[in-house]
Amino acid sequence: MIFNQTEKQEKEYLQQVITTIHDTINTTSTSVKEHIDTLQEYKDYLWSNKDIDPHEIRSMRESILNHFALGENVIDKRRRLSKILDIPYFGRIDFQEKKDKSQVSPIYIGIHTFYDLNQKKNLIYDWRAPISSMFYDHELGEAFYSSPAGKINGAISLKRQYRIRQGKMEYMIESSITVHDDILQKELCSNADNKMKNIVTTIQREQNQIIRNENASVLIIQGVAGSGKTSIALHRIAYLLYAQKGQISSKDILIISPNKVFADYISNVLPELGEETVPETSMEQILSDVIDNKYKHQNFFEQVTELLENPTPDFIERIQYKASFEFISLLDKFILYMENNYFKATDVKLTKYITIPAEFINEQFKRFHRYPIRQRFETMTDYILEMMQLQYNLTVSTPEKNQLKKEIKKMFAGNNDLQIYKDFFEWIGKPEMFKTRKNRILEYADLAPLAYLHIALNGNNAQSYVKHLLIDEMQDYSPIQYKVIQKLYPCRKTILGDTSQSVNPYGSSTADMIQKAFATGEIMKLCKSYRSTFEITSFAQKIQSNNELEPIMRHGEHPKILPFKNTEEEIQGIADLVNSFRNSHYTSLGIICKTESQAKELVQKFQIYANDISFLSNQSSAYVKGIIITSAHMAKGLEFDEVIIPQTDDKNYHSNIDKSMLYVAATRAMHKLTLTYSVSSPSCRFLL
């Protein structure tokens, strides 16, 4: 007989579970109060008894700390229980182990585990628990899961999914496949939100394999647009925090994200899954910190803007060259060349009667070859003085020691990073590959090589506190940037992105290139696109084809390309589309321009039409819901119910990077996509 066979029985059981959770919360609240009262008693006792024995004080302090820790655990338990009241669980499997006298066990699966002390059993299993993996990986019939005790074989006789909101079951579906299409379709048809949400109810088999991969030291996820790669990566972090509890915590993880807006957009996922938000930074910040923020430089956004608005062949060539493996190889050869040629030892007069010969100094430079060059000078000085003391019974003062160190340091012709970097280009016979801007501002492509040289000379200040590094938008970083990351973060990594969505095709990396840069790494692919309707996905494929992409069969409106007589009519046409959006059931609209300057100009023109439109710039720090005007660069990683792309004429969109930007813009749309242009210029060639 099936436990809770009918929907009515399931609804009654749900209310029983909720009642039990409420009772546990009440008990927990009582426990919290008891801990607080006890701590106050200890405090009062200590204050009122000033002359008590030190041993007693020490004992009481230990008791206070223990009560505090227990209280914290109880509070954390109450917080978790309160979170699951709204949606206690979302799925169920009935599983019977393949062993004698084994009974069918109903396994209810939710975001958190709930153990009922009275019944002495789990009423709800965490989605990350080993047994829960079967919900995602297996259909009805033979199944298994890996537990700490080994492989557990058995059979699934029932699989169900529920939609529960505010403690009420809206519907229940019998699932005969991994995650039922009906559930997935319902979730996909919902409107976009102001934050990325967790997807535990709709995790697919191929996504689950990535989430639960604990073996790969470097996991590289190539995911097509709309495949959920960022969300999957965050769920992977949540899984690792659960599976490796005690070994890794939220503070041990670092996310490299493309911008502050995107970081804000994804900030809700981990807290929804019951984990603390993890620290985040940018590639640019990491590289700048390595070189002590000494040099003014172009940022990545400025580089992309220049490529979109004023590209020159020389600028493109410099970016491409510095993103090549040949360039890295030459840098390594140059570092070896410096080792052999940049240190010129000379005699040093230590005292009136003692001179340290150049030959002896040179021997010490070679003796300490395992040290980075600039780290040798201190060690060399100490060793030389130690030898002088043994030979001449000489005591050297601190000023004399510092002077010797200074003299040795001067023997190395590489004490200025920027000058060395210039020397490198002279050495390879390509001085034209290095060019500073007005006020000696460095190009963005020079930031990573400069950091690479600095690490080679000064040593690697490895960020050992980071135990797992997550890098999003992997395609926008060059091999030399990954080489720097390899030196700084010798930890496990999850790296994800989509080659088709590069906003800098001249300095981008594929999954294979990243694997080569790290000399290791497992590549896993996400090929199914869930975000957009079949019609929008097919349209985007015409702009930039990806043979690996598999669209989900969710149908909707065909994208529209609307021509207008002139710019003024195009603006009016977009205003009409915005009004239509306001009267629709959609909640988010992205008006995505090619560049930020075009977006800014459009915002100004729209001031006469509306005051409910937000401008998302590279200076923005938070994502807002509603109507947004932004650039394709800033829109990357976001999604909207409806997208409008203005100025899609051939004059505006014609280069390779323009094509990437148009593809990024089009793939932001979930349900509706409209492109507009003025017929004063021909329609974009990528849309023909």
Side-chain angles (χ1 to χ4, degrees):
M1 181 171 171
I2 298 175
F3 176 78
N4 293 335
Q5 187 168 1
T6 66
E7 187 166 338
K8 182 183 177 186
Q9 289 171 331
E10 286 281 23
K11 286 181 176 179
E12 290 171 354
Y13 179 73
L14 172 63
Q15 295 310 309
Q16 292 173 23
V17 171
I18 289 173
T19 300
T20 306
I21 295 171
H22 271 297
D23 292 342
T24 306
I25 290 172
N26 292 333
T27 304
T28 306
S29 296
T30 304
S31 179
V32 170
K33 187 178 182 306
E34 288 172 356
H35 280 291
I36 292 170
D37 291 344
T38 302
L39 286 169
Q40 188 60 46
E41 287 174 12
Y42 279 132
K43 183 179 175 183
D44 293 343
Y45 181 81
L46 286 170
W47 273 105
S48 59
N49 295 273
K50 303 286 185 181
D51 300 325
I52 58 176
D53 184 83
H55 294 292
E56 187 179 357
I57 292 174
R58 196 157 44 245
S59 177
M60 290 196 70
R61 281 176 176 168
E62 286 177 7
S63 297
I64 288 170
L65 289 171
N66 288 335
H67 268 282
F68 186 79
L70 287 168
E72 287 285 298
N73 289 334
V74 173
I75 290 169
D76 183 60
K77 181 182 177 182
R78 185 176 64 180
R79 177 178 60 81
R80 287 175 178 266
L81 290 174
S82 299
K83 279 191 172 186
I84 68 172
L85 276 172
D86 184 31
I87 310 173
Y89 48 83
F90 56 82
R92 168 187 168 184
I93 54 173
D94 285 7
F95 180 68
Q96 184 177 15
E97 284 190 43
K98 199 172 185 179
K99 65 180 184 180
D100 293 340
K101 296 181 181 180
S102 178
Q103 296 182 337
V104 175
S105 300
I107 311 294
Y108 285 85
I109 300 162
I111 287 183
H112 298 303
T113 296
F114 175 55
Y115 182 82
D116 183 23
L117 287 169
N118 294 323
Q119 299 183 58
K120 291 183 170 52
K121 69 173 185 178
N122 271 346
L123 297 185
I124 304 168
Y125 287 82
D126 194 297
W127 67 277
R128 298 166 291 187
I131 198 168
S132 302
S133 66
M134 293 189 293
F135 177 76
Y136 303 109
D137 290 340
H138 293 284
E139 304 173 13
L140 299 181
E142 289 189 6
F144 68 89
Y145 68 96
S146 298
S147 78
K151 187 177 179 182
I152 308 297
N153 292 292
I156 296 172
S157 56
L158 181 142
K159 184 187 268 189
R160 281 177 180 166
Q161 277 197 267
Y162 315 94
R163 180 175 174 87
I164 301 170
R165 294 294 183 270
Q166 297 178 344
K168 303 289 183 185
M169 188 178 293
E170 295 180 4
Y171 55 78
M172 150 187 126
I173 293 177
E174 302 284 347
S175 296
S176 59
I177 58 174
T178 307
V179 174
H180 202 282
D181 280 344
D182 288 350
I183 292 280
L184 183 57
Q185 290 288 353
K186 286 177 187 293
E187 292 297 325
L188 294 174
C189 287
S190 62
N191 293 330
D193 214 322
N194 62 328
K195 299 275 189 180
M196 183 180 284
K197 298 294 183 184
N198 78 73
I199 58 166
V200 291
T201 62
T202 58
I203 292 171
Q204 304 293 286
R205 186 178 298 172
E206 71 274 12
Q207 296 172 330
N208 194 47
Q209 288 171 355
I210 291 173
I211 290 169
R212 295 175 186 263
N213 185 324
E214 293 186 61
N215 298 321
S217 58
V218 178
L219 184 61
I220 305 164
I221 307 167
Q222 164 57 41
V224 300
S227 59
K229 50 189 174 289
T230 300
S231 186
I232 293 304
L234 291 169
H235 283 68
R236 170 169 162 79
I237 293 299
Y239 172 79
L240 293 173
L241 288 169
Y242 173 90
Q244 300 173 9
K245 195 170 184 178
Q247 302 173 44
I248 188 169
S249 66
S250 298
K251 68 178 188 297
D252 302 324
I253 297 167
L254 182 65
I255 297 177
I256 298 177
S257 61
N259 53 65
K260 293 289 183 184
V261 171
F262 186 71
D264 176 67
Y265 181 63
I266 67 172
S267 63
N268 214 42
V269 175
L270 285 171
E272 276 192 358
L273 297 171
E275 302 295 344
E276 298 294 324
T277 301
V278 303
E280 66 86 24
T281 188
S282 65
M283 181 67 76
E284 185 183 320
Q285 187 60 59
I286 290 170
L287 297 175
S288 295
D289 287 346
V290 170
I291 54 177
D292 302 318
N293 300 291
K294 280 184 181 178
Y295 308 104
K296 292 180 181 178
H297 58 84
Q298 186 186 48
N299 61 39
F300 182 56
F301 189 88
E302 289 166 343
Q303 184 196 72
V304 174
T305 300
E306 185 171 342
L307 288 169
L308 289 168
E309 295 182 342
N310 188 34
T312 63
D314 291 350
F315 184 47
I316 292 170
E317 187 183 2
R318 288 195 296 273
I319 294 170
Q320 285 178 322
Y321 184 68
K322 292 162 192 174
S324 67
F325 282 97
E326 178 197 354
F327 178 73
I328 297 170
S329 176
L330 287 169
L331 264 177
D332 287 333
K333 288 176 180 176
F334 180 68
I335 292 164
L336 185 61
Y337 174 80
M338 282 195 295
E339 171 81 26
N340 295 324
N341 296 277
Y342 266 49
F343 188 78
K344 303 292 185 184
T346 57
D347 294 344
V348 176
K349 197 173 180 66
L350 188 62
T351 67
K352 186 177 179 181
Y353 304 104
I354 301 173
T355 298
I356 305 170
E359 186 179 355
F360 182 70
I361 294 172
N362 196 54
E363 283 175 7
Q364 309 324 310
F365 181 78
K366 292 176 180 177
R367 175 191 294 273
F368 296 103
H369 68 275
R370 287 188 176 86
Y371 289 76
I373 293 176
R374 289 176 184 162
Q375 282 190 15
R376 293 181 204 179
F377 306 136
E378 181 84 30
T379 308
M380 285 171 63
T381 303
D382 288 343
Y383 183 81
I384 289 168
L385 292 176
E386 188 180 331
M387 292 298 102
M388 294 298 106
Q389 189 176 10
L390 288 171
Q391 188 169 350
Y392 299 105
N393 197 24
L394 179 71
T395 302
V396 179
S397 66
T398 300
E400 288 172 329
K401 176 185 174 181
N402 291 337
Q403 182 60 36
L404 176 60
K405 182 183 170 183
K406 188 178 177 181
E407 292 293 327
I408 291 173
K409 188 178 177 182
K410 284 194 300 187
M411 298 173 193
F412 180 61
N415 290 310
N416 182 291
D417 287 348
L418 194 56
Q419 186 55 56
I420 289 174
Y421 191 47
K422 289 178 181 176
D423 291 352
F424 164 69
F425 288 102
E426 293 287 345
W427 183 74
I428 63 173
K430 292 181 180 289
E432 72 281 1
M433 284 291 122
F434 178 74
K435 183 179 179 182
T436 57
R437 304 304 176 87
K438 191 178 178 182
N439 298 323
R440 300 183 70 193
I441 292 174
L442 298 174
E443 291 181 344
Y444 177 75
D446 290 313
L447 205 55
L450 198 56
Y452 189 81
L453 276 173
H454 184 87
I455 291 170
L457 291 167
N458 287 63
N460 179 15
N461 187 21
Q463 308 299 306
S464 57
Y465 72 93
V466 178
K467 295 180 180 177
H468 200 104
L469 184 69
L470 191 153
I471 306 175
D472 205 349
E473 303 295 347
M474 68 182 191
Q475 69 281 357
D476 289 334
Y477 306 123
S478 64
I480 185 68
Q481 289 175 317
Y482 283 113
K483 283 290 187 182
V484 173
I485 292 296
Q486 184 188 31
K487 291 180 180 294
L488 293 176
Y489 300 96
C491 59
R492 290 177 175 268
K493 300 173 186 69
T494 301
I495 306 170
L496 60 136
D498 178 17
T499 306
S500 299
Q501 295 185 66
S502 176
V503 296
N504 176 20
Y506 310 113
S508 62
S509 295
T510 63
D512 289 336
M513 289 168 72
I514 296 166
Q515 192 179 46
K516 183 179 177 181
F518 286 112
T520 185
E522 181 180 347
I523 298 173
M524 298 186 77
K525 294 184 177 182
L526 291 170
C527 299
K528 286 185 180 177
S529 179
Y530 300 100
R531 176 186 297 127
S532 307
T533 62
F534 177 84
E535 287 74 17
I536 293 172
T537 301
S538 300
F539 181 87
Q541 284 283 77
K542 293 177 182 176
I543 300 171
Q544 191 150 282
S545 179
N546 184 344
N547 295 329
E548 293 185 330
L549 188 146
E550 301 172 31
I552 196 77
M553 290 301 165
R554 177 173 67 85
H555 291 281
E557 294 182 46
H558 284 276
K560 294 183 177 68
I561 304 173
L562 303 181
F564 295 92
K565 289 181 181 178
N566 49 52
T567 304
E568 289 73 24
E569 284 198 12
E570 185 180 0
I571 297 296
Q572 181 59 58
I574 295 171
D576 292 340
L577 290 168
V578 171
N579 283 329
S580 296
F581 163 79
R582 291 193 185 102
N583 295 323
S584 73
H585 64 281
Y586 296 139
T587 58
S588 65
L589 168 65
I591 305 173
I592 305 175
C593 302
K594 187 180 89 170
T595 66
E596 184 159 302
S597 59
Q598 290 175 3
K600 195 178 292 183
E601 189 179 336
L602 192 62
V603 169
Q604 291 170 348
K605 289 178 179 177
F606 263 86
Q607 286 176 345
I608 61 172
Y609 292 103
N611 58 4
D612 61 343
I613 298 177
S614 303
F615 175 47
L616 206 61
S617 74
N618 75 98
Q619 298 300 315
S620 301
S621 57
Y623 177 77
V624 291
K625 198 174 178 180
I627 306 170
I628 289 173
I629 296 179
T630 190
S631 64
H633 188 171
M634 290 303 300
K636 192 147 62 83
L638 307 179
E639 61 184 24
F640 305 90
D641 293 323
E642 182 178 348
V643 166
I644 301 168
I645 311 176
Q647 296 176 263
T648 54
D649 55 78
D650 198 53
K651 184 179 178 182
N652 196 31
Y653 288 96
H654 59 275
S655 68
N656 284 336
I657 190 169
D658 294 342
K659 184 198 285 189
S660 289
M661 292 298 184
L662 188 59
Y663 180 80
V664 167
T667 54
R668 300 309 94 199
M670 295 174 65
H671 310 298
K672 187 175 179 180
L673 174 64
T674 309
L675 296 85
T676 69
Y677 74 102
S678 170
V679 294
S680 55
S681 296
S683 176
C684 171
R685 70 186 73 174
F686 306 130
L687 304 176
L688 299 177

